[in-house]
Amino acid sequence: VPEDVPAVGRVPFRIDLAAYAKWVEGGDPFAHDDQAPKRKRRRRCDVELFLVEHVADAMPGRQVTEELINGWLERYPTLVACDGLDEVALPVRGQVVELIEKFATRWASGRKTDRRTDPKVVRCQVIVTTRPNDSQLPEPNKSFDRWVLQPLTESSKRQYLGKWMSAQHLGQADKQELASSFDRHIGTPHVAQLAENPMQLTILLDLMRVKGHSLPEDRTRLYGEYMDLFLNREADKSPLVREHRDDLE
């Protein structure tokens, strides 16, 4: 963190941009299994209005209004993480990007001053995540700083391994077995290529945990089982993956 940026606690919100795009198009990303999805024409598709429904879905029985959301944004430093722009397809992607830019502009400095808060603090910090874009698809404008994740270093891979095992609540014996498998295979070039970023490493570790000592040694079988696990994860999130899995494979 740069030295001139004050440390400040923030109220966090995470927006799944695939859900937001569906909402912008009139869909109902908050429909539950026992509910029929609703479609409606919306005169306004502001991020604040999506947050109203997003928070209301997470707090059933509570009355959540636009005034409540605006009050939080006015009173508290906030972090709004807009996750997965790469999962938003054309033509709605351009509209989603424009709506995020307008939201960030509205709340960057806040609407109220608070003498208890350092004036250098950005009241509402907005982060947009996306996979690399090689097709000139719409992305936030130059008012956003651009940060590119670099491949994980050997030390950061091992730090990630330790945190991942703790997050999975593995027992000591399972931790030792997984760490041993990791040490045994990570030096192999085709295994190392599956551990260059956190998403890939997460899938690889899951595969190592499931396969244990039977993790395939040859590239073709390893990549086949890796892709099978990857598509299992994606199928849980996307009906399109479930419908077209054979074509994807």
Side-chain angles (χ1 to χ4, degrees), residues 81-147:
C82 301
D83 190 22
L85 181 60
D86 52 285
E87 296 186 15
V88 179
L90 294 173
V92 72
R93 177 165 168 148
Q95 184 180 1
V96 166
V97 168
E98 183 180 359
L99 288 164
I100 293 171
E101 291 172 346
K102 290 181 177 178
F103 172 79
T105 300
R106 281 195 297 272
W107 294 103
S109 301
R111 296 182 181 175
K112 292 183 178 179
T113 58
D114 187 342
R115 286 175 293 181
R116 297 170 298 174
T117 303
D118 191 313
K120 291 185 292 185
V121 172
V122 175
R123 298 290 294 169
C124 180
Q125 191 173 61
V126 180
I127 296 174
V128 180
T129 70
T130 182
R131 290 185 176 93
N133 175 10
D134 297 322
S135 304
Q136 303 302 310
L137 297 173
E139 290 188 347
N141 58 33
K142 294 180 180 178
S143 65
F144 281 73
D145 293 329
R146 182 178 178 84
W147 295 75

Side-chain angles (χ1 to χ4, degrees), residues 54-228:
H54 177 48
V55 174
D57 181 66
M59 300 170 61
R62 303 287 184 90
Q63 184 177 11
V64 182
T65 64
E66 185 179 2
E67 290 72 22
L68 176 65
I69 296 297
N70 287 344
W72 284 347
L73 293 169
E74 288 175 345
R75 293 170 59 194
Y76 304 112
T78 52
L79 171 66
V80 179
C82 301
D83 190 22
L85 181 60
D86 52 285
E87 296 186 15
V88 179
L90 294 173
V92 72
R93 177 165 168 148
Q95 184 180 1
V96 166
V97 168
E98 183 180 359
L99 288 164
I100 293 171
E101 291 172 346
K102 290 181 177 178
F103 172 79
T105 300
R106 281 195 297 272
W107 294 103
S109 301
R111 296 182 181 175
K112 292 183 178 179
T113 58
D114 187 342
R115 286 175 293 181
R116 297 170 298 174
T117 303
D118 191 313
K120 291 185 292 185
V121 172
V122 175
R123 298 290 294 169
C124 180
Q125 191 173 61
V126 180
I127 296 174
V128 180
T129 70
T130 182
R131 290 185 176 93
N133 175 10
D134 297 322
S135 304
Q136 303 302 310
L137 297 173
E139 290 188 347
N141 58 33
K142 294 180 180 178
S143 65
F144 281 73
D145 293 329
R146 182 178 178 84
W147 295 75
V148 179
L149 291 179
Q150 299 300 306
L152 293 170
T153 63
E154 293 306 312
S155 62
S156 59
K157 290 176 187 177
R158 295 186 182 280
Q159 288 177 0
Y160 191 91
L161 168 65
K163 293 182 178 182
W164 187 87
M165 291 190 297
S166 296
Q168 298 297 315
H169 306 291
L170 300 186
Q172 191 59 36
D174 290 335
K175 285 183 178 181
Q176 290 176 351
E177 182 176 352
L178 181 57
S180 174
S181 178
F182 183 85
D183 290 337
R184 188 166 61 254
H185 292 99
I186 198 62
T188 308
H190 57 271
V191 176
Q193 289 174 352
L194 297 179
E196 291 187 344
N197 65 56
M199 186 195 79
Q200 290 179 317
L201 182 53
T202 297
I203 298 172
L204 177 64
L205 292 176
D206 214 5
L207 184 62
M208 285 182 171
R209 182 174 66 168
V210 171
K211 290 295 181 179
H213 294 294
S214 62
L215 185 75
E217 298 285 346
D218 65 280
R219 182 192 301 264
T220 301
R221 285 185 56 219
L222 174 66
Y223 280 20
E225 295 193 12
Y226 175 94
M227 285 303 301
D228 189 54

Side-chain angles (χ1 to χ4, degrees), residues 15-33 35-40 42 50 53-54 57:
I15 295 176
D16 181 334
L17 288 181
Y20 181 48
K22 182 177 180 179
W23 183 85
V24 167
E25 292 182 304
D28 183 8
F30 306 108
H32 298 284
D33 293 339
Q35 297 175 328
K38 301 174 183 177
R39 296 195 67 84
K40 61 179 70 174
R42 293 187 170 89
F50 178 80
E53 296 193 33
H54 177 48
D57 181 66

